[in-house]
């Protein structure tokens, strides 16, 4: 079943990689400009109408983001993961909110957490989880969590222990 | 009964607010026709710490915007900095009332990518904990649903019943809320002696309470009057808005991952998918009640069919420094709210490259809720939210 769909896709798009995870889950990589068209085809022609998730994976050392769209066909009970590699420096992708309204929420989160732009996606720049965030988007791998925590939060001093008898004496009768 | 009477809030929106050419509502706050009201983040009718920014025209909601982030702890980011095994105490906190689904999905992702086998008894014990998690999750939800519209006593009964299940969790795993019981290769402990009898005693007590809850709550005129015909989910929205679980089944979509994609030992259990068609708050509530009763039956089946002897976990060498070959996988399971999924990307190191959690609340609590809030009466907002059964940490994980 999945082999037929992949061979159909290969006729229309150049698939950069196809990885069979199991008999009912396959991941394939398509170039940025054709990915949403392939997703459109998978939804309307091949019945992958359940949009499972959209997320990004940061391959910092390669200078790339991988966007993964997982689509499910509830009739054939199979899943296809569509992977797209985009440049980290110019991180933008064609929006897919016209296919499922709920995709806009995922894209809004990716804009905030990874700094990936989806031109035309509704309410893309509205704060989602963070409010008033400036600087490197926090889910990028080059975001220094330790430095952020050190600069943003007040560092508490460590605990001190006192001898109870001496402590109470000094507290209650400081002049004696 | 005419449609107008049955769906009283499906009213005429032509007067206020006017709809602009881009499809959004033209809300001019200075016209004094509208007021802004923040519903949450601390409100008895809110499911956890999230807020809804409501715009009201009289007592009718014309716009609702979900605000999350009050519980954001950056789980997915934290997981990238920890070894695979170190993430188990983290993942369970993503859905507090049902931590076991996080443990199961995360452990299964690791098993898929490494080829670690789970022994027969380990699988049965996983199935048992997952069903117990569903049972106590539904019981807690009944408490929230009843509380949202003023049935506090029913909420107390349901939470007492949940405590009985938590007692058994404590006996089985050592923890009441967070269990950290499911590990790659199986589960942490075997079932204690006499567990089955004690569980049976608890299940009978819960069944007794369920008869009372049905009479006091689900057959109650006030509850029916407030929930029938309110909060309608159109079956056509199911795929557009990623609606899963009881919310989709109440709209007639016959889909249950336990049945359609059998995992653990569900293929050996006898149960049918519960569906309904009216798709309003009452239908969703009653469907969850029916699923709760089925969960009781499933726990009995699991305890009857589980082998007495056998390993509960396979031997995995050097789990602390486990390295997973480069690859990716997606694992799903059916929690009380629907499809719960984990997408894990490994890069060959001791740390995950990326873990993404697909919680049902992500779609239910944002896009769907914002759509459903329009034209709802302000008094129905709380029960509408609870009827979608959202957990905010799943949205902002």
């Amino acid at each position: 079943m999945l082999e037929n769909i992949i061979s159909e896709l290969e006729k229309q798009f150049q698939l950069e990689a196809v990885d069979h995870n199991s008999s009912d889950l396959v991941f394939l990589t398509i170039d940025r400009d054709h990915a949403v068209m392939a997703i459109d085809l998978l939804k309307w022609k091949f019945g992958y109408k359940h949009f499972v998730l959209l997320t990004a994976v940061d391959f910092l050392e390669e200078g790339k983001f991988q966007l993964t769209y997982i689509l499910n066909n509830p009739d054939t009970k199979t899943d296809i993961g569509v992977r797209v590699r985009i440049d980290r420096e110019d991180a933008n992708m064609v929006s897919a909110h016209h296919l499922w309204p709920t995709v806009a929420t995922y894209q809004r989160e990716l804009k905030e957490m990874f700094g990936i732009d989806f031109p035309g996606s509704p309410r893309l720049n509205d704060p989602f989880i963070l409010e008033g965030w400036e600087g490197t988007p926090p889910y990028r791998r080059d975001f220094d969590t330790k430095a952020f925590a050190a600069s943003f939060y007040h560092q508490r001093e460590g605990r001190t222990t006192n001898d109870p008898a001496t402590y109470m004496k000094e507290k209650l009768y400081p002049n004696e | 009964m005419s449609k107008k009477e049955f769906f009283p809030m499906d009213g005429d929106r032509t007067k206020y607010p006017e709809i602009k050419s881009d499809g959004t509502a033209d809300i001019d706050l200075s016209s004094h026709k509208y007021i802004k009201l923040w519903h949450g983040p601390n409100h008895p009718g809110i499911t956890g710490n999230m807020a809804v920014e409501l715009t009201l025209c009289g007592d009718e909601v014309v716009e609702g915007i979900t605000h999350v982030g009050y519980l954001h702890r950056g789980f997915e980011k934290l997981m990238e900095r920890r070894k695979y095994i170190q993430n188990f105490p983290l993942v369970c906190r993503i859905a507090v009332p049902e931590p076991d689904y996080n443990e199961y999905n995360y452990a299964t992702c690791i098993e898929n990518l490494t080829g670690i086998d789970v022994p027969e008894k380990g699988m049965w014990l996983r199935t048992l904990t997952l069903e117990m998690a569903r049972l106590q999750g539904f019981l807690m939800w009944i408490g929230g649903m009843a509380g949202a519209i003023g049935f506090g006593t029913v909420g107390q009964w349901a939470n007492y019943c949940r405590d009985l299940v938590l007692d058994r969790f404590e006996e089985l795993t050592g923890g009441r809320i967070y269990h950290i019981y499911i590990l790659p290769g199986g589960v942490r402990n075997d079932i204690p002696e006499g567990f089955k009898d004690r569980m049976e005693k608890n299940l009978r007590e819960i069944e007794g309470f369920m008869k009372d809850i049905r009479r006091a709550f689900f057959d109650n005129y006030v509850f029916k009057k407030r929930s029938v015909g309110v909060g309608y989910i159109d079956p056509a929205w199911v795929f557009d808005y990623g609606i899963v679980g009881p919310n989709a089944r109440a709209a007639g979509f016959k889909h249950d991952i336990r049945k359609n994609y059998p995992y653990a030992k569900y293929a050996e259990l006898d149960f049918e998918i519960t569906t309904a068609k009216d798709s309003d708050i009452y239908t969703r509530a009653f469907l969850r009640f029916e699923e709760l009763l089925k969960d009781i039956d499933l726990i009995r089946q699991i305890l009857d069919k589980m082998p007495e002897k056998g390993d509960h976990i396979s031997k995995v060498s050097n789990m602390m420094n486990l390295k997973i070959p480069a690859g990716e996988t997606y694992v799903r399971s059916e929690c009380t709210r629907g499809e719960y999924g984990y997408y894990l990307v490994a890069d060959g190191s001791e740390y995950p490259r990326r873990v993404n959690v697909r919680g049902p609340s992500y779609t239910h609590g944002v896009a769907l809720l914002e759509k459903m809030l329009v034209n709802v009466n302000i008094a129905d907002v709380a029960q509408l939210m609870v009827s979608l059964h959202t957990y905010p940490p799943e949205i902002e994980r």
Side-chain angles (χ1 to χ4, degrees), chain B residues 237-277:
Chain B
W237 300 348
V238 166
F239 294 116
D240 284 353
Y241 287 90
I243 304 170
V244 289
N247 292 343
R249 290 196 282 277
F253 182 47
K254 195 173 181 181
H255 184 80
D256 187 323
I257 291 161
R258 295 175 298 168
K259 199 79 179 171
N260 294 3
Y261 305 82
Y263 54 95
K265 284 289 176 188
Y266 283 107
E268 297 178 34
L269 299 175
D270 180 24
F271 67 105
E272 291 298 322
I273 301 175
T274 317
T275 54
K277 59 182 179 179

Side-chain angles (χ1 to χ4, degrees), chain B residues 80-347:
Chain B
E80 293 173 12
R81 306 291 171 93
R82 282 161 175 75
K83 293 184 177 181
Y84 284 97
I85 193 75
Q86 290 176 317
N87 283 327
F88 277 91
L90 266 183
V91 293
C92 53
R93 285 162 168 84
I94 297 174
V96 182
E98 287 168 66
D100 307 84
Y101 284 91
N102 293 281
E103 295 173 19
Y104 171 77
N105 285 352
Y106 182 64
T108 311
C109 279
I110 295 173
E111 287 154 9
N112 281 1
L113 291 172
T114 53
I116 297 171
D117 289 325
V118 182
E120 170 93 359
K121 187 154 190 195
M123 274 297 188
W124 278 108
L125 283 164
R126 282 184 176 188
T127 319
L128 175 67
T129 49
L130 294 179
E131 273 313 303
M132 284 167 65
R134 279 176 62 85
L135 176 59
Q136 60 90 23
F138 279 132
L139 287 166
M140 193 178 179
W141 174 83
I142 286 183
M145 186 76 221
I149 53 171
F151 288 78
T153 310
V154 172
Q156 298 298 323
W157 294 345
N159 274 308
Y160 168 72
C161 293
R162 177 177 181 247
D163 251 15
L164 297 176
V165 185
L166 296 188
D167 287 345
R168 296 288 72 77
F169 261 124
E170 189 175 6
E171 186 184 353
L172 184 65
T173 70
R176 293 178 75 79
I177 305 295
Y178 300 128
H179 310 128
I180 316 175
Y181 181 64
I182 298 173
L183 294 173
V187 294
R188 196 156 39 79
N189 298 324
D190 203 347
I191 192 167
E193 206 177 319
F195 181 89
K196 186 177 171 183
D197 295 336
R198 287 186 289 277
M199 180 56 107
E200 179 59 33
K201 192 179 163 196
N202 289 152
L203 293 179
R204 283 188 185 166
E205 191 171 356
I206 292 169
E207 280 177 327
F209 269 100
M210 288 309 112
K211 287 176 187 165
D212 291 344
I213 286 176
R214 176 162 184 162
R215 277 199 296 271
F217 187 55
F218 290 98
D219 292 347
N220 188 293
Y221 176 77
V222 177
F223 178 50
K224 283 188 174 177
K225 189 76 180 168
R226 289 199 56 188
S227 60
V228 173
V230 181
Y232 177 68
I233 292 179
D234 192 323
W237 300 348
V238 166
F239 294 116
D240 284 353
Y241 287 90
I243 304 170
V244 289
N247 292 343
R249 290 196 282 277
F253 182 47
K254 195 173 181 181
H255 184 80
D256 187 323
I257 291 161
R258 295 175 298 168
K259 199 79 179 171
N260 294 3
Y261 305 82
Y263 54 95
K265 284 289 176 188
Y266 283 107
E268 297 178 34
L269 299 175
D270 180 24
F271 67 105
E272 291 298 322
I273 301 175
T274 317
T275 54
K277 59 182 179 179
D278 286 345
S279 198
D280 54 15
I281 291 176
Y282 185 83
T283 313
R284 288 195 287 279
F286 195 71
L287 186 133
R288 289 194 177 95
F289 181 70
E290 287 180 307
E291 290 204 358
L292 184 155
L293 297 177
K294 282 189 180 175
D295 287 341
I296 293 176
D297 177 50
L298 282 174
I299 290 173
R300 286 197 175 112
Q301 284 189 43
I302 293 164
L303 287 169
D304 284 342
K305 291 184 177 179
M306 188 188 303
E308 286 190 10
K309 292 182 180 172
D311 292 334
H312 57 275
I313 190 162
S314 55
K315 285 182 181 159
V316 183
S317 60
N318 202 8
M319 179 51 86
M320 191 62 202
N321 296 311
L322 181 73
K323 281 186 183 178
I324 296 187
E328 56 204 291
T329 189
Y330 177 74
V331 169
R332 57 163 62 87
S333 51
E334 180 82 19
C335 68
T336 53
R337 290 145 292 128
E339 176 174 348
Y340 207 96
Y342 263 59
Y343 170 62
L344 191 146
V345 182
D347 57 7

Side-chain angles (χ1 to χ4, degrees), chain A residues 79-99:
Chain A
D79 296 279
I80 293 183
V82 176
R83 300 177 297 200
V84 188
R85 291 251 170 167
I86 57 171
D87 285 332
R88 274 183 108 252
E89 294 302 315
D90 181 25
N92 67 80
M93 177 62 195
V94 182
S95 174
H97 71 274
H98 58 287
L99 296 172

Side-chain angles (χ1 to χ4, degrees), chain A residues 21 50 52 55-56 58 61 66 68 72 77 79 83 100-102 109 123 128 138-141 145, chain B residues 65 68 74 77 80-81 239-240 260-261 328 330 332 339 343 353-354 356 358 362-363 370 397:
Chain A
N21 189 285
H50 173 41
V52 179
T55 192
D58 189 354
E61 59 279 19
Q66 175 186 298
T68 308
N72 170 257
K77 301 182 178 66
D79 296 279
R83 300 177 297 200
W100 293 273
T102 190
E109 187 192 356
R123 293 166 58 194
F128 184 56
Y139 271 28
R140 288 190 176 212
R141 284 180 87 87
T145 45
Chain B
I65 297 173
V68 291
K77 181 84 175 175
E80 293 173 12
R81 306 291 171 93
F239 294 116
D240 284 353
N260 294 3
Y261 305 82
E328 56 204 291
Y330 177 74
R332 57 163 62 87
E339 176 174 348
Y343 170 62
R353 168 67 64 160
R354 177 95 173 102
N356 182 242
R358 189 253 187 251
Y362 194 85
T363 47
E370 287 178 357
R397 67 268 173 255

Side-chain angles (χ1 to χ4, degrees), chain A residues 23 25 43 54 62 71 78-79 94 116 134 139 173 175:
Chain A
S23 59
L25 171 62
K43 180 183 177 186
L54 162 62
E62 298 171 33
L71 315 174
T78 53
D79 296 279
V94 182
I116 301 170
E134 290 174 0
Y139 271 28
Y173 313 106
N175 299 325

